[in-house]
Amino acid sequence: MNLDYIWRDLHELAETSFKEVKTTDYIANMLEREGVRVQLFKKHTGLIAEIGSGEPVIGFRADMDALWQEVNGEMKANHSCGHDAHMTIGIGTLLALKKNEASLKGTFRCIFQPAEEQGNGSLSVINSGGADGLKMLFGVHLRPKDELSFGEAAPSISHGGGIFFEGKITGEDLHGARPHQGTNAIEAGFALQQQLHTVRISPMIPHSVKMTSFHAGASNYNIIPGSATFALDVRAQTNEAMDELKKLIDEKIRALSTMLNVKIEGYWIDYTPGAAVNEDAEAVMREAIVHELGDEALRPRVVTPGSDDFHFYTIEKPELKAVMLGLGADLEPGLHHPDMRFNHDCLEQGVRVISRAVGLAMEE
């Protein structure tokens, strides 16, 4: 089983959220040839693949989508978050366990999930029945080198929550010589940015609020723009802190709209919840890491402000025990960097750890 060959194919097939058509076909065709049971989702891209039979049903989630970004001057779909590696580990685990399928004490289900980067692909899988019947669910994410080095692994990742706000400032354009006749949307945006710096919750909880997009004006420089669009990226380590941040931001926007006498409105989109790490699943993953990589490889839980829609599985299905493996890969310069690179030997390590975790979970 040449994991690097599979990774290269998936890397070249990079597709964005809910457009992973070629990726879905590639995985389905490969696994069917190997005798793995495959079921495509009817309403969206992605698939589930199973081996073994009966209960318990132990799952692994592999995210499929790539980011749309500029790479060497070209805008393209690019796997700079490591989802190509995650899919490779999922395929590798299926094929490794398939060799001794008769010895499995249950069913192993690999969920190849679309649209993690959009933040709601997991909800589509859940609504399609892809997570039904699962007892325990594992995930994996390659970690940057400043968190974990190659050969190291963490039994869980505690992601923070994330959400976007898409907003609009609505007013009337003004003549450049008559700024007193209305509100400059650029000045309103600047004032909003200043107000966002005054949003405060407990400093004991990691959080951030920042404007990540602002567009106003056109090609005529003698027109003062009355309207603009903007976007906010909001993050918090806990879901409770996220609720508090949203409330404070809504209040700031309403107050500023009244003070400037201009309409400022918008809506929250693409919410991704913070992690709720299950201790039983974490204990299984910890034992799997030690068994496969040794005591010296085990590292503490990774706490990161990054987010992942993996955690919708436990929110929507509270009975499901879930955890995500943090896999060291000497990943540089960082996640989402267009030139992201990593040590591909981690793929084999990921297959070993997840395969062991599946076996341990079935024995519980």
Side-chain angles (χ1 to χ4, degrees), residues 170-181:
T170 305
E172 295 182 346
D173 290 350
L174 309 168
H175 194 289
R178 297 174 174 82
H180 61 288
Q181 292 181 343

Side-chain angles (χ1 to χ4, degrees), residues 279-319:
E279 293 183 359
D280 292 341
E282 185 179 35
V284 168
M285 189 63 73
R286 184 180 296 111
E287 184 177 349
I289 292 170
V290 171
H291 189 284
E292 293 299 325
L293 305 182
D295 287 310
E296 66 281 2
L298 181 64
R299 293 294 179 269
R301 176 186 301 182
V302 169
V303 179
T304 172
S307 59
D308 197 296
D309 77 348
F310 178 82
H311 306 295
F312 270 124
Y313 288 102
T314 49
I315 286 180
E316 296 297 315
K317 292 183 172 293
E319 74 282 1

Side-chain angles (χ1 to χ4, degrees), residues 70-259:
E70 184 175 338
V71 183
N72 297 324
E74 176 189 1
M75 294 299 299
K76 61 186 292 188
N78 184 41
H79 273 303
S80 58
C81 201
H83 294 184
D84 44 1
H86 305 163
M87 289 185 285
T88 301
I89 291 171
I91 293 170
T93 302
L94 280 163
L95 299 183
L97 294 177
K98 176 69 175 172
K99 294 178 180 178
N100 297 298
E101 184 174 8
S103 65
L104 287 179
K105 299 178 180 179
T107 302
F108 173 56
R109 177 187 302 168
C110 192
I111 301 171
F112 293 94
Q113 179 212 297
E116 187 280 325
E117 297 294 352
Q118 190 167 300
N120 57 9
S122 58
L123 290 175
S124 296
V125 168
I126 293 166
N127 292 334
S128 296
D132 290 354
L134 287 175
K135 176 187 177 184
M136 192 170 288
L137 178 66
F138 301 118
V140 65
H141 209 300
L142 305 188
R143 304 313 303 164
K145 190 175 182 179
D146 59 2
E147 287 184 358
L148 295 173
S149 297
F150 171 72
E152 299 177 339
S156 63
I157 303 175
S158 186
H159 288 99
I163 197 169
F164 303 129
F165 183 88
E166 286 190 350
K168 186 174 183 180
I169 301 169
T170 305
E172 295 182 346
D173 290 350
L174 309 168
H175 194 289
R178 297 174 174 82
H180 61 288
Q181 292 181 343
T183 301
N184 186 332
I186 295 175
E187 293 176 351
F190 179 79
L192 175 59
Q193 172 70 359
Q194 295 299 105
Q195 285 297 305
L196 293 176
H197 285 302
T198 69
V199 173
R200 297 283 186 269
I201 63 171
S202 170
M204 303 301 292
I205 304 173
H207 63 280
S208 66
V209 181
K210 56 274 180 191
M211 187 176 293
T212 54
S213 176
F214 189 87
H215 298 276
S219 58
N220 294 107
Y221 299 152
N222 62 344
I223 295 177
I224 298 172
S227 298
T229 60
F230 65 92
L232 310 179
D233 177 288
V234 181
R235 298 177 185 265
Q237 201 61 47
T238 69
N239 296 321
E240 294 77 14
M242 177 64 75
D243 290 340
E244 187 177 357
L245 281 176
K246 288 171 61 182
K247 179 175 178 290
L248 292 172
I249 292 168
D250 286 336
E251 290 174 354
K252 294 288 186 183
I253 290 174
R254 286 195 296 270
L256 188 64
S257 180
T258 299
M259 183 179 72

